[in-house]
Structures are given as C-alpha cells and as structure tokens.
C-alpha cells in the first residue's frame, strides 16, 4: 500500500523550523546583546563615563565653595572636600596684573597641585570668555617609590653626610619607577567682580582606568563564557518546556480534521495553553454534536423526502396498472404529496438563504393583529375535522415594522408546531400583549413539554427530543429553525418556556410603531 502523500499545508509546515528552535535562538540573541552592551559600558565607554562623572563632581564642589568663599565656613568646607574627595582648592586674587594666591588647601591627603601659574592664567582667560567658568584636563608624570626609606640603615650612616650622599643611598637602596602618564582635572570659576574678583580653582587627579579596564576585560571574558553556557542550557530547557504542550495540543488538534471528536485536551503548564486546550475541548464537543445533528438531518430529510416520493410513485403505478383507480381522490393524494415535497425543498432553501444573509427582507409597516387573524382562517378545516381549539387573545390592534410575509411564516410555523405537540385539551392559544412600546406574541400549547437540557437545541434544524423521528402533522419539521433565522433578521427577541408534562410557550417580541404611520 502506497503511503499517503503529504498535503500542501503539511509540506509548507515541514519546511519551517519548530517553535523551540526560534525560542532558543531568540534567548541566545538576547544574551549576546546583553553581553555586548555590558562590554561596551565596562570597557569602551568606562573612561569617558568616569571623566564625565568626575567633572560633574568637581563642578559641584566648586559651586558649593563659591557660595561660602567670604564666610568662616569656607575653610572647614575646603577641608571636608579635600578629605572626602582628595581635591586641592586654590583662590587667586585677580584684581592686579599678577595673580596672588590668597588661599591654598593643605596636602595632607596625598594630592598636591599640578598646575603652574601659566595654567592659572589660561584658566582665567578661558573662564572669562566662557561665562565665568572653565574646566581643563592636563597630563603629568611623577615618580613613585616602591619602598619606604630604611631608617635603620640611615641611622648607621655618618650624621655628617651631606644631603647628596643620602640621595645616593636612596637611589642605591630604593629603586623607583616612573608611573604612566596621569591626568589632572582643574575647574576654574570666577567669583565676584571688580576689585573683589577672585578665581576659584578646584583640582582633582583622574585615576588612570587602563588597569581597571584590563581587569574588567578578563572578568568579562570569563563572564561571557559562563553566561553563554548558562544561556544555552536555559534556552533549551525553556524551549522544550514551552513547546512541548503546544506540540501535544497540535497533534491532538490534527485528529479533529479526521472527525475524531472524542478528545480531551488536557490543561497545560501556563495560562495561554490551558485556555487553548479548554477551547479546543469545547470545540471538539460542539463538533461532535454538529456531526450527530448532521447525520440526523440527513436521515430525517431522507425520511421526509422518501415518504411523499413513495406515495406519489405508488399511487401513480396503481393508476397506471388499474384504469379504474384513476380517481379524483388518488390524484389529490399525489398533488398533496407533491406539494409537501415542494414545501420541504422551499423550507430548506429558506433556511439556507436566511443563514447566509441573502434572503430578501422587505421592511414595511403592517398590522400584526390582522395578520394573526388572517392566519386563523387557514385552520378552519382542522378545527372542524379534528375538534381543535385555536384562540387568539388580544386587546388592541398593533402595528410593527417588518416583512409581513416573513412574519406570517413565523406565526404559521409556531402555530403548526403547537398543533403537532398539542395536549389532550386540543387547545392552542395565541396571546398578544403590549408592554413598554413592545408587542409580545406567545403561542401556547398544553402538550408534553420540553426538558430544560433540550431547550437550547430546540431551534436547530430537525432537532427532536426523542430518538424516534416522527413526521409532523403539519409542515416539514424545519419550522422552528426558520422561525429563529427570520426573527434574527428582524432583530427581534425570541425564546421558549416549557415544563415537562405541562406544555410549551414559544414567544417573540418586537417594537411597535404608532398607528398613524399606517397608510
């Protein structure tokens, strides 16, 4: 046996990668982007960020000092800033051609001034042309010794040695290396004006970040390897965890296309898949009901078509074989069955048009009360022959807007349904009531009634409460389905109230219109 060829959708789906692949790739891309951002901020932009923050810090200190420059608080504030931030503060009198340093902070915290008087003049000129403030970064070199002086050996030296000899001793026993170029940030702000003008300079050494960047680079390499490894593990785990319930649901959903409706989609591990499974379980149940109703519909239509066709064929053959049977009664039976067959086909076409919204609904004002009265005239023969009682209860004439022919069809089908399930009292009541500018029409019988669980299905085509299909005394068995679709087309409210053993009350409600609109 040859294997079944794959359909076009299946071939297209086979070319696409599974969900877990895209989830894994997406998570890895996110991790890679995160690492790239981390690398950029920790290495490439670290120095510029550091300088920016340092400049803001020095500027903030200069602003604070400028506010207290002529107060007793100034000296304490300088000491506090120098202690906490390792900065040097200088104040210069600019009233003369030669700047005089009127205040300079101590060097007890390990940082001294690295600017010359030329630099002071340059800062003043730039600040003067830049709104009273200016900052600059200069480079400098300094020697830094690795060992402290050996005091014991120095005491062993002759106390009368010259300073030069001591320097030689230091050079022999304390090797020194020149530090890489460092940078010094100086921020100048002009305070006051005229004879009271002064130049406030705050200096801070910018620590070289090259060694820090090197350390961070090594750490980032190790972190990158670890993060990528964990990302792969977590991505694979999450992808399987997320994709597995979807794959299981998908496999079960494929069975629905094969008309396997006895399925239960179990809840997943997260809300969306749980809701999807619940929806598919409900859909499977509804499809099962539809499939059952479809089979019953075909069976019922076949039954209703076969009966008139059988009678037409049977009577026609009798009349052909037996010339004496060519009577008016036999011809009338053939005509009645043909009309019944035509009514069934017409009702099926009506349902199809109404459900597809292709039915022609002609709205116009008409008297609903007179419409009901004219329908009653059609049941004269049934009332006389079968002893039926069909009563119309109303108080006033009511006009509505709608398609009179279609509303007549609704009333006719509701009354026929009541007659088919009439009670022992053989009474059908049609009641017209008006409330809040709406008319309510009720068609009441006292027959066997309908159970509560079957009420929601009563409007379906050929739905029957019992399994035994019985032919309607009047109509084709499609009346209630036609009623529902016509009322929906008119935006009318409708429903049914029923109690087992007591009968049923089918009703619909529509807005009324003033009487003077009727021509």
């Amino acid at each position: 046996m040859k294997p079944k060829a794959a359909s076009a959708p299946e071939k297209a789906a086979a070319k696409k990668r599974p969900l877990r692949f895209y989830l894994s790739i997406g998570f890895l891309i996110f991790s890679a982007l995160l690492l790239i951002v981390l690398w950029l901020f920790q290495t490439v932009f670290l120095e510029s960020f550091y300088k920016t923050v340092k400049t803001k810090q020095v500027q903030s200190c200069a602003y604070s000092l400028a506010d207290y420059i002529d107060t007793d608080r100034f000296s304490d504030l300088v000491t506090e800033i120098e202690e906490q931030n390792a900065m040097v503060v200088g104040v210069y009198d600019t009233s003369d051609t030669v700047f005089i340093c009127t205040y300079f902070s101590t060097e007890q915290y390990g940082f001294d001034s690295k600017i010359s008087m030329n630099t002071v003049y340059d800062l003043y000129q730039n600040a003067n042309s830049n709104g009273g403030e200016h900052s600059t970064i200069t480079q400098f070199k300094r020697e830094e010794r690795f060992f402290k002086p050996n005091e014991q050996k120095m005491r062993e030296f002759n106390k009368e040695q010259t300073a030069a000899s001591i320097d030689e001793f230091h050079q022999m026993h304390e090797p020194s290396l020149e530090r890489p170029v460092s940078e010094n940030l100086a921020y100048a702000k002009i305070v006051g004006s005229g004879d009271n003008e002064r130049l406030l300079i705050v200096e801070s050494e910018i620590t070289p970040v090259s060694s820090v960047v090197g350390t961070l680079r090594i750490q980032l390499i190790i972190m990158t390897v670890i993060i990528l490894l964990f990302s792969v593990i977590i991505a694979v785990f999450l992808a399987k965890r997320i994709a597995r319930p979807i794959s299981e649901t998908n496999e079960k959903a494929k069975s629905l296309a094969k008309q396997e409706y006895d399925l239960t989609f179990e809840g997943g591990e997260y809300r969306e898949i749980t809701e999807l499974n619940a929806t598919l379980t409900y859909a499977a149940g509804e499809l099962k009901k539809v499939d059952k109703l479809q089979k019953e519909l075909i069976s019922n239509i076949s039954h209703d078509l076969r009966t008139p066709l059988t009678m037409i064929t049977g009577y026609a053959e009798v009349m052909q074989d037996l010339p004496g049977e060519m009577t008016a009664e036999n011809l009338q039976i053939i005509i009645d069955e043909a009309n019944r067959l035509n009514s069934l086909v017409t009702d099926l076409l009506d349902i199809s048009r109404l459900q597809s919204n292709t039915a022609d609904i002609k709205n116009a004002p008409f008297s609903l009360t007179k419409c009901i009265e004219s329908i009653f005239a059609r049941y004269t023969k049934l009332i006389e022959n079968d002893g039926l009682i069909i009563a119309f209860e109303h108080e006033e004439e009511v006009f509505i807007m709608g398609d009179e022919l279609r509303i007549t069809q609704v009333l006719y089908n509701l009354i026929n349904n009541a007659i088919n399930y009439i009670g022992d009292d053989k009474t059908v009541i049609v009641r017209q009531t008006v409330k809040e500018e709406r008319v309510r029409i009720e068609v009441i019988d006292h027959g066997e009634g309908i159970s509560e669980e079957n009420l929601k299905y009563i409007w379906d085509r050929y739905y029957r409460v019992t399994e035994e299909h019985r032919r309607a005394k009047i109509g084709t068995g499609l009346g209630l389905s036609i009623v529902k679709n016509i009322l929906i087309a008119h935006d009318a409210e409708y429903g049914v109230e029923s109690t087992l053993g007591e009968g049923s009350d089918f009703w619909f409600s529509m807005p009324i219109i003033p009487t003077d609109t009727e021509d």
Side-chain angles (χ1 to χ4, degrees):
M1 183 177 180
K2 293 183 178 180
K4 183 181 178 181
S7 62
E10 290 175 344
K11 290 180 180 179
K15 295 179 181 179
K16 296 183 178 180
R17 297 183 183 275
L19 175 62
R20 58 179 176 273
F21 172 80
Y22 293 104
L23 287 174
S24 301
I25 294 298
F27 192 81
L28 289 175
I29 291 175
F30 171 76
S31 300
L33 291 175
L34 192 62
L35 285 171
I36 291 173
V37 172
L38 189 61
W39 271 82
L40 290 174
F41 279 86
Q42 292 296 321
T43 58
V44 179
F45 302 130
L46 178 61
E47 185 173 357
S48 61
F49 284 163
Y50 170 71
K51 289 182 178 180
T52 302
V53 172
K54 196 68 174 178
T55 301
K56 293 291 184 183
Q57 184 182 20
V58 173
Q59 183 182 14
S60 177
C61 292
Y63 273 61
S64 300
L65 290 170
D67 293 336
Y68 293 93
I69 196 169
D70 292 325
T71 65
D72 296 336
R73 168 73 175 143
F74 181 75
S75 181
D76 295 335
L77 184 59
V78 169
T79 304
E80 181 181 337
I81 289 175
E82 184 182 19
E83 177 183 355
Q84 295 179 356
N85 303 302
M87 296 180 184
V88 173
V89 179
V91 180
Y92 298 84
D93 186 359
T94 63
S95 60
D96 201 353
T97 56
V98 178
F99 289 179
I100 300 175
C101 182
T102 60
Y103 183 91
F104 202 83
S105 59
T106 64
E107 302 175 6
Q108 59 178 322
Y109 297 102
F111 176 65
D112 54 357
S113 178
K114 300 296 186 301
I115 63 173
S116 63
M117 286 304 297
N118 290 332
T119 305
V120 172
Y121 281 115
D122 291 340
L123 285 172
Y124 175 76
Q125 295 297 331
N126 290 324
N128 199 28
S129 61
N130 194 38
E133 54 186 86
H134 181 72
S135 62
T136 183
I137 296 177
T138 58
Q139 295 183 344
F140 70 94
K141 296 181 181 180
R142 69 172 182 174
E143 291 187 353
E144 182 171 313
R145 305 185 183 278
F146 287 161
F147 306 107
K148 291 183 178 180
N150 192 320
E151 302 295 339
Q152 180 63 30
K153 289 186 178 182
M154 287 183 66
R155 282 194 295 269
E156 294 176 358
F157 259 66
N158 190 341
K159 296 181 179 180
E160 295 181 356
Q161 284 183 300
T162 63
S165 299
I166 296 175
D167 290 338
E168 291 176 1
F169 177 83
H170 285 171
Q171 292 175 5
M172 288 187 295
H173 294 83
E174 286 190 285
S176 64
L177 290 175
E178 189 179 85
R179 285 187 62 186
V181 175
S182 296
E183 292 181 321
N184 182 56
L185 172 63
Y187 184 86
K189 180 175 179 60
I190 298 176
V191 181
S193 61
D195 294 337
N196 196 33
E197 184 184 78
R198 282 157 294 176
L199 178 65
L200 173 66
I201 297 179
V202 180
E203 298 176 61
S204 178
E205 183 178 345
I206 298 178
T207 305
V209 296
S210 56
S211 59
V212 178
V213 171
T215 303
L216 289 175
R217 187 178 290 111
I218 296 173
Q219 290 181 344
L220 286 174
I221 291 173
I222 298 173
M223 289 174 58
T224 300
V225 175
I226 295 174
I227 290 176
L228 287 178
L229 180 62
F230 276 104
S231 296
V232 172
I233 296 173
I234 295 174
V236 172
F237 173 75
L238 289 179
K240 287 184 177 180
R241 188 177 181 87
I242 294 174
R244 186 179 66 251
I246 298 177
S247 300
E248 293 174 355
T249 300
N250 181 55
E251 291 301 320
K252 287 186 178 181
K254 291 178 181 178
S255 301
L256 293 178
K258 301 176 183 178
Q259 297 183 350
E260 297 177 11
Y261 303 129
D262 293 323
L263 297 173
T264 300
F265 294 83
E266 298 178 355
E269 299 178 1
Y270 43 93
R271 186 180 65 183
E272 289 78 7
I273 196 65
T274 301
E275 293 177 353
L276 176 61
N277 286 336
T279 302
L280 289 174
T281 300
Y282 175 77
E286 293 300 310
L287 286 173
K288 185 177 181 180
K289 293 176 184 177
V290 170
D291 183 63
K292 181 180 178 182
L293 289 174
Q294 183 183 19
K295 292 176 180 178
E296 291 178 355
L297 176 63
I298 294 174
S299 175
N300 294 336
I301 291 178
S302 300
H303 177 273
D304 280 350
L305 288 174
R306 188 185 303 112
T307 301
L309 287 173
T310 300
M311 294 188 68
I312 291 172
T313 303
Y315 275 92
E317 289 177 350
V318 168
M319 293 170 63
Q320 182 182 24
D321 296 337
L322 302 173
E325 294 296 325
M326 186 70 72
T327 62
E329 290 79 4
N330 290 341
L331 288 173
Q332 187 61 46
I333 291 174
I334 293 175
I335 293 172
D336 291 341
E337 294 301 324
N339 288 334
R340 182 176 181 82
L341 188 62
N342 181 64
S343 296
L344 178 61
V345 174
T346 301
D347 285 351
L348 288 173
L349 290 174
D350 283 344
I351 291 177
S352 178
R353 291 194 188 100
L354 289 167
Q355 291 181 337
S356 61
N357 295 323
T358 58
D360 187 16
I361 303 296
K362 299 178 181 179
N363 288 320
F366 68 95
S367 172
L368 180 60
T369 307
K370 290 183 178 179
C371 179
I372 296 174
E373 291 174 346
S374 64
I375 290 173
F376 271 50
R378 304 182 185 181
Y379 295 97
T380 303
K381 188 175 182 180
L382 284 175
I383 293 173
E384 294 175 353
N385 296 341
D386 298 339
L388 299 180
I389 301 174
I390 304 178
F392 179 34
E393 300 177 357
H394 67 286
E395 295 181 355
E396 57 183 306
E397 185 177 5
V398 174
F399 291 84
I400 63 172
M401 180 71 71
D403 190 325
E404 185 174 0
L405 180 61
R406 293 295 184 181
I407 297 299
T408 300
Q409 194 175 2
V410 167
L411 294 166
Y412 186 68
N413 284 327
L414 288 178
I415 295 172
N416 286 348
N417 181 74
I419 292 174
N420 289 332
Y421 295 94
I422 201 168
D424 294 334
D425 60 356
K426 294 187 176 182
T427 300
V428 174
I429 300 173
V430 178
R431 181 177 297 148
Q432 172 188 292
T433 55
V434 177
K435 185 178 181 181
E436 297 179 356
E437 298 186 355
R438 293 185 67 90
V439 59
R440 178 183 173 107
I441 301 297
E442 300 175 80
V443 180
I444 305 169
D445 67 77
H446 304 108
E448 58 192 49
I450 308 166
S451 63
E452 184 176 354
E453 60 269 18
N454 290 319
L455 282 177
K456 59 182 178 180
Y457 303 115
I458 202 66
W459 304 99
D460 296 336
R461 287 182 292 182
Y462 269 122
Y463 180 82
R464 58 184 185 279
V465 176
T466 59
E467 291 297 326
E468 181 182 358
H469 173 71
R470 66 176 181 179
R471 189 179 184 188
K473 296 177 183 178
I474 302 176
T476 61
L478 299 173
L480 292 181
S481 183
I482 293 174
V483 167
K484 178 187 75 172
N485 286 280
I486 292 176
L487 292 177
I488 290 175
H490 282 79
D491 294 326
E493 298 176 1
Y494 67 95
V496 57
E497 300 169 3
S498 183
T499 304
L500 281 176
E502 297 182 9
S504 303
D505 179 359
F506 287 84
W507 61 270
F508 68 90
S509 174
M510 296 180 68
I512 62 175
I513 60 175
T515 307
D516 56 8
T517 59
E518 177 72 5
D519 295 335

